[in-house]
Amino acid sequence: MGKRKTIAIRTGFTVLIGLMALTMILPILWMISTSFKIEGEVFEFPIRWIPRTLDLENYAEAWNGSFDFPLYYLNTIKISVLSTILQVTVSAMAAYAFAKIKFRFSNIIFMVYLSTMMIPSQVTLIPCFMIFKEAGLMDTHLGLIILTSFSVYGVFLLKQSMGAISGELSEAAIIDGAGHFQIFTRIILPMSRPSLVTLAMLKFIWTWNDYMNPLIFLSTTNKFTLQLGMRSFSSEYGNQYGPTMAAAVLSIMPLMILFLVCQKNVIEGISIGAVKG
Amino acid sequence: MREKRKRFQFCKTRKGADNLAGYLFLLPSLAGFLGFIFLPMVFSLCLSFTKWSFISGLSGMEWKGLGNFAALFQDIKFVASLKNTFLYTIYTVPVALVLGFAVAVIIHDFTYGKTILKISIFLPYISSLVAISVVWKVILHPASGPVNQLLYRLGVENLPGWFGSSKWALPGIAIETIWIQIGYNVVLYMAGFTGINRELYDAASIDGCNAWQRIRYITIPGVAPTTFFLTIMALISSFKVFDQVSVITQGGPGDSTMVLAYYIYQKAFTYYDMGYASAMAWVLFAIILVITLIQWKFGNDDNAD
């Protein structure tokens, strides 16, 4: 096959898939474009991708309207950050125990952990709801953070990477009189940094986008997360598409920017989870 | 005194110290596991055999044996939700898988700028489902949404009513899901390709295989484990579909988009019918368990090579 022909095929396919990639982000572009439009322009056809005037009214409406988006931002950031830190810490400690300490029943406990990985949250949510109601944790951020801070997946992911770390350094440290706490904090944690970052990224994205847990466990409007706010906004502003799209942009953009910055970690993390899962 | 000595002995040996350290490190995770997964699971199983409205308090709990499960299959809404969940699975899983594979092959072998293409296709997957669903609801607006306007210009006569019609609402949600899912499948397939020995392709080229033969006899068998993983994960997540339905249609029009997870939510948290909802949750679990067992059975064969 001639080299020139290969280049032609390649360019052709690049254009083809490029067009498809464009179609994939078209709804997102449409959302952004509509968020700047006045109501009359929204459904104009053929679609006017760049609005006549860049109207910021819609954003003002979403930001200062009857739903307190600045507050939802704070709530979401608070819940996502705390529950990510908590989950990574708890998972790392458990992963260390499973991967590096020989203790009684560790294999059995790990098997039990794994066997519950497929349980749909619908099964556990109803009892959790009742437990939280009894414990007074309903409609609190604390309850939501605690609820989402445990995951079998996190333990599994970190155990895989900690298990791959060679034991030589730890053994040398034991001879020097180091305990498990020192080995954990000084040797194992720094060496498993890439997978800690991966888990943190994935968990942060999941919590930020989580809808079902906040829907069930939060009821007061001023405790809402961004996703709940978005949902309420769209049902109240139903037919005002401009402000609704502005609100959608507000709830998608922060994460999209974060993803574009850290895309390598996220994509690697998702692939690792699959290859080993 | 005796206890103190016992503890002393416990820590004296290396083994004893390891046991203690192991459980200390595991403690927070184990507490979460017992409190949020294991005990709720047991509790939920017990609940599924009772009639219990949350409002009536613990004393109002009534033993029903298998009554809930028997009632389920008389419940038109439940049967509809089961049917819709299966339909949704059939609409979404194969299409997203085939498209994901095709796009991954083309990006991997035949294009420039792999990373940027991969990222753009992946963007929908990390976007919030709530916001994305709201956007789709407007894009598929039956009267004036851009999709139907385009279809109209193309001369389509019976424009689909999307979320306003009981015939098109479920396909509408399926299209949104496929759109979200393709990026994930592409990323995983591209990771799967790196595991295939490149020499096979060189050998095939020397033997005069064309591109299609290389895909058919090397790539497809080579990514079989990935295909398997993706199928199972997609099946499981499609049986749990909730966000799109909750945001866009709330199960309507009629019961045309009523799916299992949403019906469970409605029964439990709108009507507080906890026993009945738990019984449904266990049916959902049973379906997922069967899928997982199939994976376990066939997955082991795949991992052997």
Side-chain angles (χ1 to χ4, degrees):
Chain A
M1 212 187 321
K3 202 170 177 197
R4 190 170 289 168
K5 198 177 155 198
T6 322
I7 291 175
I9 290 176
R10 244 170 203 265
T11 314
F13 273 117
T14 307
V15 172
L16 186 79
I17 294 293
L19 281 175
M20 179 170 170
L22 194 66
T23 329
M24 293 294 286
I25 55 172
L26 227 45
I28 294 171
L29 295 179
W30 189 83
M31 165 187 82
I32 297 171
S33 149
T34 308
S35 71
F36 291 107
K37 286 179 183 169
I38 50 169
E39 244 8 84
E41 271 185 319
V42 169
F43 287 135
E44 218 173 282
F45 201 89
I47 300 167
R48 184 182 293 277
W49 290 99
I50 297 162
R52 285 197 191 82
T53 48
L54 277 183
D55 188 14
L56 288 173
E57 259 326 273
N58 295 330
Y59 283 90
E61 183 75 43
W63 193 254
N64 309 317
S66 46
F67 294 94
D68 195 348
F69 269 79
L71 181 67
Y72 300 157
Y73 261 100
L74 286 180
N75 290 345
T76 309
I77 291 171
K78 174 181 150 198
I79 292 170
S80 306
V81 168
L82 289 179
S83 112
T84 302
I85 293 175
L86 206 58
Q87 186 181 102
V88 173
T89 313
V90 169
S91 304
M93 286 173 66
Y96 178 76
F98 283 129
K100 292 292 172 197
I101 307 178
K102 286 197 179 71
F103 61 98
R104 284 186 80 180
F105 306 125
S106 67
N107 284 334
I108 296 175
I109 298 176
F110 190 64
M111 288 309 286
V112 175
Y113 262 51
L114 282 189
S115 65
T116 59
M117 209 137 130
M118 292 303 165
I119 292 178
S121 54
Q122 280 78 10
V123 168
T124 50
L125 270 177
I126 295 169
C128 283
F129 175 83
M130 284 152 33
I131 295 169
F132 274 46
K133 199 120 193 170
E134 290 303 311
L137 287 169
M138 276 304 289
D139 201 21
T140 63
H141 288 163
L142 180 68
L144 194 60
I145 292 167
I146 295 177
L147 181 79
T148 54
S149 66
F150 170 78
S151 97
V152 175
Y153 176 79
V155 176
F156 180 72
L157 190 77
L158 294 182
K159 191 216 162 202
Q160 296 296 101
S161 72
M162 287 185 186
I165 297 172
S166 126
E168 279 171 34
L169 264 176
S170 321
E171 273 155 28
I174 289 175
I175 292 167
D176 288 348
H180 280 298
F181 185 73
Q182 277 106 333
I183 297 174
F184 176 61
T185 51
R186 305 258 172 85
I187 300 174
I188 302 294
L189 279 189
M191 286 180 82
S192 38
R193 230 192 95 185
S195 34
L196 292 172
V197 172
T198 298
L199 177 65
M201 286 291 320
L202 293 178
K203 167 68 181 156
F204 188 84
I205 293 176
W206 289 331
T207 318
W208 185 283
N209 285 339
D210 188 14
Y211 167 66
M212 193 162 72
N213 287 314
L215 181 69
I216 292 170
F217 288 94
L218 299 177
S219 45
T220 318
T221 321
N222 62 19
K223 288 179 184 156
F224 274 9
T225 62
L226 217 41
Q227 307 312 328
L228 289 184
M230 177 67 228
R231 158 81 197 274
S232 314
F233 189 93
S234 83
S235 39
E236 185 164 315
Y237 282 72
N239 295 326
Q240 286 170 266
Y241 298 111
T244 307
M245 291 304 121
V249 171
L250 286 176
S251 66
I252 288 182
M253 270 311 140
L255 213 53
M256 203 162 272
I257 292 164
L258 185 73
F259 168 70
L260 290 176
V261 174
C262 316
Q263 46 90 10
K264 226 175 154 191
N265 267 316
V266 177
I267 285 186
E268 261 167 29
I270 282 172
S271 317
I272 292 169
V275 171
K276 294 193 174 151
Chain B
M1 187 64 205
R2 222 177 113 205
E3 217 186 297
K4 205 172 176 185
R5 201 207 263 138
K6 216 170 159 188
R7 218 166 80 204
F8 179 69
Q9 280 175 345
F10 187 64
C11 292
K12 206 167 76 176
T13 57
R14 178 75 205 288
K15 221 171 159 186
D18 272 358
N19 271 330
L20 184 66
Y23 280 103
L24 280 179
F25 271 96
L26 195 58
L27 191 65
S29 165
L30 201 58
F33 177 73
L34 291 175
F36 300 138
I37 300 203
F38 194 74
L39 293 178
M41 215 180 114
V42 176
F43 194 12
S44 154
L45 186 63
C46 298
L47 261 184
S48 69
F49 298 112
T50 65
K51 179 177 175 59
W52 186 48
S53 164
F54 184 66
I55 304 154
S56 66
L58 273 174
S59 55
M61 200 181 275
E62 211 181 291
W63 182 258
K64 282 193 77 176
L66 289 171
N68 283 333
F69 294 94
L72 276 180
F73 292 93
Q74 309 289 323
D75 179 349
I76 298 169
K77 259 200 157 119
F78 175 76
V79 175
S81 75
L82 209 55
K83 190 189 120 207
N84 290 334
T85 311
F86 272 98
L87 268 180
Y88 169 82
T89 305
I90 294 167
Y91 293 158
T92 55
V93 178
V95 178
L97 209 64
V98 171
L99 281 179
F101 177 76
V103 172
V105 167
I106 297 174
I107 292 185
H108 189 262
D109 289 348
F110 302 106
T111 62
Y112 300 103
K114 296 182 194 347
T115 314
I116 191 148
L117 289 175
K118 190 161 85 172
I119 292 172
S120 346
I121 290 178
F122 190 68
L123 273 181
Y125 188 77
I126 57 121
S127 305
S128 120
L129 262 176
V130 178
I132 285 298
S133 298
V134 170
V135 173
W136 272 91
K137 196 177 174 178
V138 185
I139 289 181
L140 293 182
H141 191 286
S144 37
V147 168
N148 268 12
Q149 292 209 47
L150 180 69
L151 291 177
Y152 177 74
R153 300 292 154 102
L154 293 175
V156 177
E157 297 210 343
N158 292 318
L159 287 175
W162 299 119
F163 304 123
S165 96
S166 50
K167 187 178 159 203
W168 285 100
L170 197 64
I173 292 179
I175 290 172
E176 184 203 349
T177 307
I178 292 169
W179 176 71
I180 294 166
Q181 200 63 35
I182 287 177
Y184 178 72
N185 293 349
V186 168
V187 165
L188 287 205
Y189 269 126
M190 288 182 73
F193 294 157
T194 57
I196 301 175
N197 187 351
R198 300 309 296 179
E199 284 170 21
L200 287 175
Y201 290 101
D202 299 338
S205 296
I206 293 167
D207 289 347
C209 290
N210 60 30
W212 165 245
Q213 285 168 324
R214 287 200 298 270
I215 292 169
R216 171 72 186 81
Y217 295 107
I218 303 174
T219 312
I220 292 180
V223 291
T226 309
T227 306
F228 208 78
F229 173 84
L230 286 177
T231 314
I232 298 295
M233 294 317 275
L235 285 173
I236 291 174
S237 74
S238 82
F239 273 99
K240 295 197 289 190
V241 58
F242 175 83
D243 295 14
Q244 296 95 308
V245 172
S246 166
V247 173
I248 303 179
T249 60
Q250 283 103 48
D255 286 330
S256 63
T257 56
M258 184 55 85
V259 289
L260 269 178
Y262 189 72
Y263 194 35
I264 294 172
Y265 166 81
Q266 217 182 38
K267 274 285 176 200
F269 301 108
T270 312
Y271 302 112
Y272 293 114
D273 194 348
M274 299 298 193
Y276 196 72
S278 299
M280 278 196 278
W282 277 84
V283 172
L284 176 63
F285 183 24
I287 296 172
I288 289 176
L289 194 68
V290 170
I291 298 171
T292 316
L293 287 179
I294 294 172
Q295 173 199 34
W296 188 70
K297 189 160 185 308
F298 291 97
N300 281 353
D301 301 345
D302 278 334
N303 291 341
D305 48 55

